[in-house]
Amino acid sequence: MVFLIDYWFLNNATKMNPNYNFGQAFPGVNDGCGSGLVEIDAALVDILDSIALVTAPYPCAASGVPCPSRARWTDAHDAGMVAWVRQWDAWLRASPFSTWACNYHNNHNAACRAMWLAVSVGWTRNDTMIDLLIAGSKETSWTNTTLPNGTHTSMPYQQLGAPDCPGCDGDCTGTCAQAPIGGQILPSGFLPFEANRVNSIGYTGGELHNLFHLAQISRHAAYIRSRLARRTESHRGVATAAAVSTPPVAEASTPASDLFEYVSLSGSSIRGALDFLIPFATGKEKWPHPTESNNFHLFDVLRHAAHVWNNATYMHIAASLNATCEHGCGVDPSVLWWPE
């Protein structure tokens, strides 16, 4: 792993620059656009988590033998990655692409916020950014909003004026700021912005993954803050040695910081979105929207839900699904290296 980090992030001759200026470029149309961030959002969180896990000072096995990668990870690696991530964070704060992605009205929003929240919690320690990302994930209320035929044509968009790009999916006339929970999930649990797309099942299931990712990192935020004063290790990352070795404090599960427990003013919630999809994922009801796939890929989301809400029913439903899982048939490890 250390070799790959060197190659992709630290070696001047081979490293990726800390920006995504050319993501999803369309030759002859543009050099890159905000929708390109979705290609790296989840992957970058996984990379940062992996660094924290393999470099932490706890053993890889019961034998007590330290992780092999730990011995090869030097202070120079740590300083180099911190510098890279801080430059990435500076690009996020300055780029119109991140403004677009973190405010758009579909899956790009939650994916972008989860990535930026992981950076802010585990690496830059930017409390202001953490608060903005969590608060901005909660509300745009659906109260008094009519959605004819389940579409989003009447949604009261807040135009931010950030540049968009030709060729992206959905409404490309501007940035439509909609909070992932209060603005994109109906009180019934329906996700109209995903159901309105050509591959509605694929995008709806994918958005559940994004929302669970975002919510889990919101739990990390409160925990990291509570432990930071007593932390002695220099390792950076979403999953830290201090977090793994010490039970969490009560504030880690408060509704104010925990998006899993948040319910919007109009009654929207992540749990409601999952419960809405279960009859369709299990085949008890027929999905009424156009789609290119027939699998919501909810196996690991359901297992994660069983863990989050201590509810074995979700585990039983997961076991009943005969599915090929996007992240492997088990709990998504990148968001679960945390005691509950």
Side-chain angles (χ1 to χ4, degrees):
M1 175 186 159
V2 176
F3 168 79
L4 293 174
I5 295 298
D6 281 336
Y7 194 91
W8 280 99
F9 295 96
L10 303 178
N11 188 319
N12 287 330
T14 60
K15 72 178 183 180
M16 168 186 164
N17 290 322
N19 65 67
Y20 224 60
N21 289 330
F22 305 105
Q24 286 192 2
F26 293 88
V29 178
N30 59 61
D31 294 327
C33 65
S35 59
L37 267 172
V38 78
E39 308 290 357
I40 195 174
D41 287 330
L44 185 59
V45 175
D46 288 346
I47 291 167
L48 300 182
D49 266 1
S50 297
I51 291 172
L53 289 169
V54 302
T55 62
Y58 53 84
C60 280
S63 62
V65 178
C67 296
S69 294
R70 173 63 180 150
R72 295 193 291 271
W73 188 265
T74 66
D75 290 342
H77 286 100
D78 197 59
M81 277 305 303
V82 169
W84 192 97
V85 174
R86 285 178 176 170
Q87 292 177 62
W88 174 262
D89 177 71
W91 176 80
L92 288 171
R93 286 185 278 111
S95 174
F97 291 170
S98 61
T99 300
W100 183 94
C102 281
N103 289 286
Y104 203 54
H105 60 255
N106 59 21
N107 63 304
H108 292 276
N109 190 321
C112 178
R113 287 176 181 273
M115 176 272 295
W116 203 343
L117 188 58
V119 167
S120 301
V121 171
W123 293 72
T124 65
R125 309 297 192 205
N126 188 331
D127 282 348
T128 299
M129 200 68 228
I130 293 169
D131 291 338
L132 286 172
L133 288 165
I134 292 177
S137 299
K138 295 177 178 179
E139 285 297 339
T140 306
S141 178
W142 289 95
T143 304
N144 299 323
T145 299
T146 301
L147 292 177
N149 301 320
T151 69
H152 62 268
T153 54
S154 65
M155 190 64 195
Y157 295 147
Q158 174 191 353
Q159 300 292 338
L160 299 185
D164 211 322
C165 61
C168 67
D169 192 359
D171 178 2
C172 287
T173 60
T175 295
C176 310
Q178 301 300 332
I181 299 175
Q184 297 184 39
I185 306 171
L186 267 65
S188 66
F190 181 52
L191 289 161
F193 298 121
E194 310 306 335
N196 201 42
R197 304 172 78 169
V198 174
N199 185 16
S200 61
I201 283 181
Y203 278 108
T204 298
E207 178 65 347
L208 257 293
H209 284 274
N210 294 336
L211 290 166
F212 268 67
H213 217 167
L214 173 61
Q216 188 67 36
I217 300 171
S218 78
R219 285 191 166 186
H220 298 184
Y223 184 79
I224 279 283
R225 284 169 160 173
S226 71
R227 299 299 305 163
L228 191 57
R230 287 173 281 175
R231 186 174 163 193
T232 58
E233 294 295 327
S234 63
H235 315 296
R236 276 39 170 220
V238 176
T240 65
V244 171
S245 61
T246 310
V249 294
E251 67 178 303
S253 297
T254 60
S257 61
D258 187 351
L259 295 179
F260 277 126
E261 304 300 336
Y262 179 74
V263 179
S264 77
L265 296 175
S266 55
S268 303
S269 68
I270 293 175
R271 187 171 187 176
L274 175 60
D275 290 344
F276 176 86
L277 287 183
I278 286 174
F280 301 105
T282 56
K284 293 182 178 179
E285 295 185 27
K286 184 178 179 180
W287 183 250
H289 307 283
T291 188
E292 293 176 342
S293 63
N294 58 7
N295 193 333
F296 289 96
H297 294 287
L298 294 186
F299 185 94
D300 51 344
V301 169
L302 286 161
R303 290 185 51 136
H304 194 167
H307 172 75
V308 168
W309 291 295
N310 193 26
N311 189 322
T313 299
Y314 290 119
M315 192 70 76
H316 297 322
I317 297 170
S320 71
L321 295 180
N322 181 18
T324 301
C325 310
E326 285 182 301
H327 305 295
C329 287
V331 180
D332 185 351
S334 66
V335 293
L336 281 183
W337 283 102
W338 213 263
E340 293 289 353

